[in-house]
Amino acid sequence: MESLTQFLTRMPKVELHVHLESTMPGELLDQFARRQGRSLPRSPQDLYRCSAEDLSDFLAFLDRICSYVGRPEELTLVAERFSLACAREGILYAEAILNPTHWSQFSPAQLIAALTEGFDRGQAVGGAQCAFTLSLSRTQTEAEALRLVETMAACRTPRLAGLSIDGNEALTGPTGRRFHAAFHRAGQLGFGRTVHAGESSGPEGVREALDLLEADRLDHGVRAAEDPALVERLVRQQIPLNVCLSSNLALLYRDPTRHPLRRLLDAGAAVTLNRDDPTFLGDLTLTEELRRAADFAAMTREELIRCQETAARAAFCDEATRARLLRALTAFRQTLV
Ligand code: ADE
Ligand code: ZN
């Protein structure tokens, strides 16, 4: 039998939870910083060797590194590089998250145009098919959230797949009511809706995401495992959970044995596996993330393929793309017998 690494390298992959802000190579940011007459706080190689103590620290650092990108063409290059890097490791389709609050130098309309062009260029030269969601921060107001959704509608491109929300729920407390109208409107407009919940919030954050934000998918969702009735609901409704094991072990679970990946798989939850913040996790590849998950939760190869199928089914893509992804996975499975 081929090694696990060979198997994972060959497997067609789909990724739904990766922040574009956390994919920017230090060397590229160094070039961008110099154009502004600035310099990075550390050498490009060490840029991400920082000690983010917690999620809030980490989010503040994201603001800082995004400020080195001074022109929309530079963001376009970041998106193109991401699409190419995905293709190099066999990712067929990826949905990146971009949070406009980290990018005060650009308007949401500029962000949408820059990312669309970068992903178009990447795919045109052999990169992965990429789409993106725009993400609200938990600290924004109801009016800001509604304004973002209306801009998304006005500047819509085929690569703009949906609305998401991230940030530190532990600091803001419940915000479901504040963002209900924006998420409802996004749904009316046909955008996908995905919500960071069950990471810095517990089961109550997951319930809010489902009941008030009408989430189609959950980013993380792992702390739902603290409430058996909620897990039963997630399984019954087959709500996709975009789990990020390495990120969770770095930021969330001091005791790794408490991470519920194995329990969620055994319960029949719709789990996908993702990187979240690759540059901060040692330039983590999706292939390596899957290897770690396989190792951590003793996942079988069939389970690993099933997670990719779950991601293909949960993607905010058109039906032709979904069928292409599922066909590639079926063809891959047939090479194994
Ligand atoms: N933004 C980037 N990474 C994040 C995470 N892990 N949780 C919340 N917001 C984020
Ligand atoms: Zn995330």
Side-chain angles (χ1 to χ4, degrees):
M1 198 176 14
E2 68 187 332
S3 71
L4 179 62
T5 304
Q6 283 169 332
F7 166 87
L8 292 172
T9 304
R10 263 191 338 106
M11 182 169 69
K13 291 172 280 291
V14 177
E15 183 165 40
L16 301 180
H17 181 176
V18 54
H19 298 266
L20 199 75
E21 291 90 356
S22 305
T23 70
M24 301 190 286
E27 291 71 18
L28 201 58
L29 285 183
D30 188 45
Q31 281 174 32
F32 298 163
R34 284 169 197 272
R35 284 187 195 153
Q36 296 182 39
R38 297 168 65 197
S39 50
L40 301 182
R42 286 180 287 282
S43 72
Q45 301 78 5
D46 291 336
L47 181 62
Y48 296 107
R49 285 206 194 113
C50 58
S51 57
E53 286 293 315
D54 62 17
L55 189 55
S56 294
D57 257 18
F58 170 68
L59 296 175
F61 189 63
L62 276 188
D63 283 337
R64 170 104 177 260
I65 61 163
C66 292
S67 78
Y68 296 118
V69 181
R71 309 174 188 171
E73 312 84 88
E74 294 169 349
L75 185 57
T76 294
L77 189 59
V78 167
E80 180 181 352
R81 293 274 176 99
F82 173 73
S83 160
L84 290 168
C86 285
R88 277 198 296 276
E89 62 156 323
I91 298 175
L92 298 187
Y93 176 88
E95 268 168 34
I97 300 166
L98 190 92
N99 183 324
T101 68
H102 294 306
W103 301 94
S104 56
Q105 67 274 46
F106 302 129
S107 67
Q110 283 178 310
L111 293 172
I112 294 169
L115 256 63
T116 298
E117 189 174 340
F119 289 152
D120 283 351
R121 281 194 203 165
Q123 196 176 340
V125 294
Q129 181 175 343
C130 294
F132 62 100
T133 59
L134 286 188
S135 206
L136 294 164
S137 282
R138 295 274 174 189
T139 46
Q140 289 185 276
T141 65
E142 178 173 18
E144 285 169 332
L146 281 164
R147 213 174 308 130
L148 180 67
V149 174
E150 292 313 325
T151 304
M152 287 169 58
C155 303
R156 192 167 196 159
T157 73
R159 305 241 176 224
L160 178 54
L163 179 68
S164 61
I165 185 163
D166 59 27
N168 193 342
E169 290 177 89
L171 287 186
T172 56
T175 51
R177 282 185 204 292
R178 198 193 312 158
F179 297 115
H180 165 77
F183 273 81
H184 186 70
R185 177 81 183 121
Q188 284 178 331
L189 291 164
F191 286 116
R193 291 167 294 183
T194 184
V195 172
H196 274 63
E199 181 200 31
S200 49
S201 64
E204 71 293 345
V206 171
R207 285 209 163 81
E208 257 204 12
L210 299 175
D211 295 334
L212 293 176
L213 302 180
E214 304 168 10
D216 302 301
R217 311 190 304 226
L218 296 170
D219 289 319
H220 298 295
V222 283
R223 288 190 53 204
E226 294 165 19
D227 179 340
L230 183 57
V231 172
E232 202 211 307
R233 175 179 177 188
L234 294 173
V235 172
R236 189 171 10 94
Q237 295 181 224
Q238 284 294 287
I239 305 290
L241 307 179
N242 294 331
V243 174
C244 307
L245 177 69
S246 298
S247 166
N248 291 165
L249 296 184
L251 284 171
L252 191 58
Y253 291 90
R254 298 271 172 235
D255 174 2
T257 63
R258 296 179 71 91
H259 195 284
L261 175 57
R262 181 74 258 166
R263 278 185 287 142
L264 290 169
L265 290 167
D266 286 343
V271 169
T272 77
L273 298 169
N274 310 270
R275 286 175 289 175
D276 206 6
D277 295 301
T279 45
F280 291 92
L281 295 165
D283 283 330
L284 182 65
T285 62
L286 183 60
T287 310
E288 170 62 12
E289 177 66 13
L290 298 176
R291 197 197 58 71
R292 290 182 191 176
D295 191 38
F296 178 84
M299 290 178 71
T300 64
R301 295 182 184 200
E302 178 55 30
E303 283 178 318
L304 290 160
I305 299 174
R306 238 182 274 141
C307 285
Q308 303 312 306
E309 288 172 336
T310 299
R313 289 199 190 92
F316 297 149
C317 62
D318 58 53
E319 292 312 310
T321 300
R322 195 182 323 284
R324 176 175 76 86
L325 299 174
L326 290 169
R327 266 199 312 275
L329 284 158
T330 300
F332 175 68
R333 193 185 260 111
Q334 282 164 358
T335 68
L336 300 174
V337 286

